[in-house]
Amino acid sequence: GLRCVFYRDYYDRSVAAAIAVRVLSGEDISRIPVIRKPTSRLMFDFRQMQRFSIPLSGLPEGSIVINKPESFYEEHTATIWVSAGIFLGLCATIVVLATNIARRRRAEHTLRVKEHVIRSASNPIVTTDTEGKLTYVNPAFLKAWGFDDVREILGRPFPDFWMVEERLDEIMEVLLRGEGEWSDEIQARRKDGILFDVHVSAAMVYDERGRPVCLMLASVDITERNRAAEGLRRIEHIVSSSTDMLAMLDENYVYLAANEAYLKAFNKTRDELIGYTAAQIFGQEFFDTTIKPHAERCLAGEGVHYEDWFDFPVSGRQYMDIAYSPYTIEDGQIKGFVVCGRVATDRKRAEEALRESEERFRGLFEESPLGIGLIDSYTGQIYEVNPRFAEIAGRTRAEMSTIDCMSI
């Protein structure tokens, strides 16, 4: 039969010892329960269980099995746990390395993108060391400064290319302060010695510890802009010095600009004219009947010229020679028109006086009892005769204009 023993001694002694400790501790014996159930545990021989094909699951709860061989895990527990720890450590190391590699690749990609952006930039960009010697230039710099080989540039101080010798200490002081940025409009010197205007922005680059590592400079060629600005200043001077009345209005007949002669004629300051409509300045009725019809033609793309009488607050009623020119932007859209007005009162009055004089002469010429003729002193050709002259000559006035005086 199956070998089975009661593992009584150890458990009985331990239970008895526990009761004795409680008694010696002064506990009331009446409170100590009487153990009526056996405290022994069943013990089975594993080899006999295998012999009779008895599974471990068929044993009573709490049974003790002896002569049971140890499993591989039980035999090599320490080795397994050490190996597992090493494996997990290697896995963690691999994950960390993979993460670092991925980060490095992303950083390298970002650097390549930034380098491509800098190389592709249309504006010159350079870097220098903390002493101001060039360490990198992009192709735009080579083109703008007229160099073919970067080796002609690297290692040279940046004042060789920007005219800042007298301001170098001031610039470096600004760059090395907390803000670390400086910008200004200065002149630059090309390889061939020609100077040109640039707007330079410089910034100090710091590492993670706040130490300066390099200087970055970006330039924009503003030579053409400055020339255009100078040309504009000259035009403004010419316009402001002109005695003609000049103004610009938008498509809604709102004043955008006017020269001093225009302001003076209307006794207005610039703030009292700019932003106001022509109807507000001239009055709605005069605007609708005189100005607007001509302005609409101009806004349709036609150059307009006309003359009319205008009332001014200072000089009174004046006869004006007016010209409207369309104002177009780059895409050809008409966004307003330019007004040029010139006082023609004296000319108008002279013309009227001449016309009146001609009318008086014509009356005398036609009604004179004397024969009067207009004859070319060189050729003798008869231009015109009055009725009395034709009567004396016995010809019509039309016939007289076809002959010379020698034919009479």
Side-chain angles (χ1 to χ4, degrees), residues 135-326:
T135 57
Y136 171 83
V137 299
N138 69 342
F141 180 90
L142 295 176
K143 182 179 179 181
W145 266 256
F147 288 93
D148 299 319
D149 193 340
V150 70
R151 289 174 294 183
E152 301 178 75
I153 299 172
L154 298 184
R156 294 173 60 180
F158 74 84
D160 284 358
F161 308 96
W162 290 275
M163 308 295 290
V164 293
E165 290 88 348
E166 297 179 356
R167 303 178 58 189
L168 185 57
D169 292 340
E170 168 200 343
I171 295 170
M172 294 306 297
E173 181 182 355
V174 172
L175 291 173
L176 291 172
R177 286 206 301 260
E179 58 271 19
E181 296 180 359
W182 174 85
S183 65
D184 203 353
E185 294 182 5
I186 58 176
Q187 285 193 313
R189 183 190 294 110
R190 289 171 49 90
K191 180 181 178 180
D192 55 14
I194 295 177
L195 300 179
F196 61 103
D197 298 328
V198 293
H199 182 276
V200 179
S201 297
M204 189 66 71
V205 180
Y206 297 89
D207 62 14
E208 64 277 2
R209 297 183 180 179
R211 297 175 300 186
V213 292
C214 70
L215 176 64
M216 177 174 285
L217 300 97
S219 300
V220 179
D221 189 340
I222 58 173
T223 305
E224 293 301 322
R225 189 196 74 181
N226 286 353
R227 288 175 181 171
E230 179 61 27
L232 182 60
R233 284 192 292 270
R234 291 172 182 171
I235 292 174
E236 288 177 347
H237 177 70
I238 293 172
V239 170
S240 63
S241 302
S242 175
T243 57
D244 289 345
M245 298 164 55
L246 302 173
M248 178 183 289
L249 294 84
D250 66 13
E251 63 268 36
N252 297 314
Y253 312 107
V254 176
Y255 281 94
L256 303 177
N259 69 343
E260 292 299 326
Y262 200 99
L263 297 173
K264 184 177 180 181
F266 289 93
N267 195 28
K268 300 282 186 181
T269 65
R270 202 169 300 278
D271 291 338
E272 292 173 336
L273 181 74
I274 305 304
Y276 291 87
T277 65
Q280 291 173 309
I281 301 301
F282 289 95
Q284 190 67 49
E285 181 179 355
F286 186 81
F287 171 77
D288 290 337
T289 57
T290 304
I291 296 177
K292 188 175 182 180
H294 299 295
E296 287 178 339
R297 290 168 52 201
C298 184
L299 291 173
E302 179 184 351
V304 178
H305 180 267
Y306 71 98
E307 296 180 353
D308 209 332
W309 288 95
F310 287 75
D311 291 318
F312 294 96
V314 176
S315 57
R317 190 167 179 80
Q318 299 288 341
Y319 190 77
M320 300 297 297
D321 185 341
I322 305 295
Y324 291 168
S325 301

Side-chain angles (χ1 to χ4, degrees), residues 31-48:
R31 294 183 179 181
I32 299 175
V34 177
I35 299 175
R36 302 181 183 278
K37 295 181 180 180
T39 58
S40 59
R41 297 175 62 188
L42 299 178
M43 179 181 294
F44 298 88
D45 189 331
F46 182 77
R47 288 174 294 186
Q48 296 300 322

Side-chain angles (χ1 to χ4, degrees), residues 105-124:
R105 287 178 177 174
R106 286 196 296 269
E108 290 174 350
H109 175 71
T110 302
L111 288 176
R112 285 194 296 270
V113 170
K114 291 180 178 179
E115 182 181 3
H116 178 72
V117 170
I118 292 175
R119 288 185 60 83
S120 304
S122 59
N123 293 328

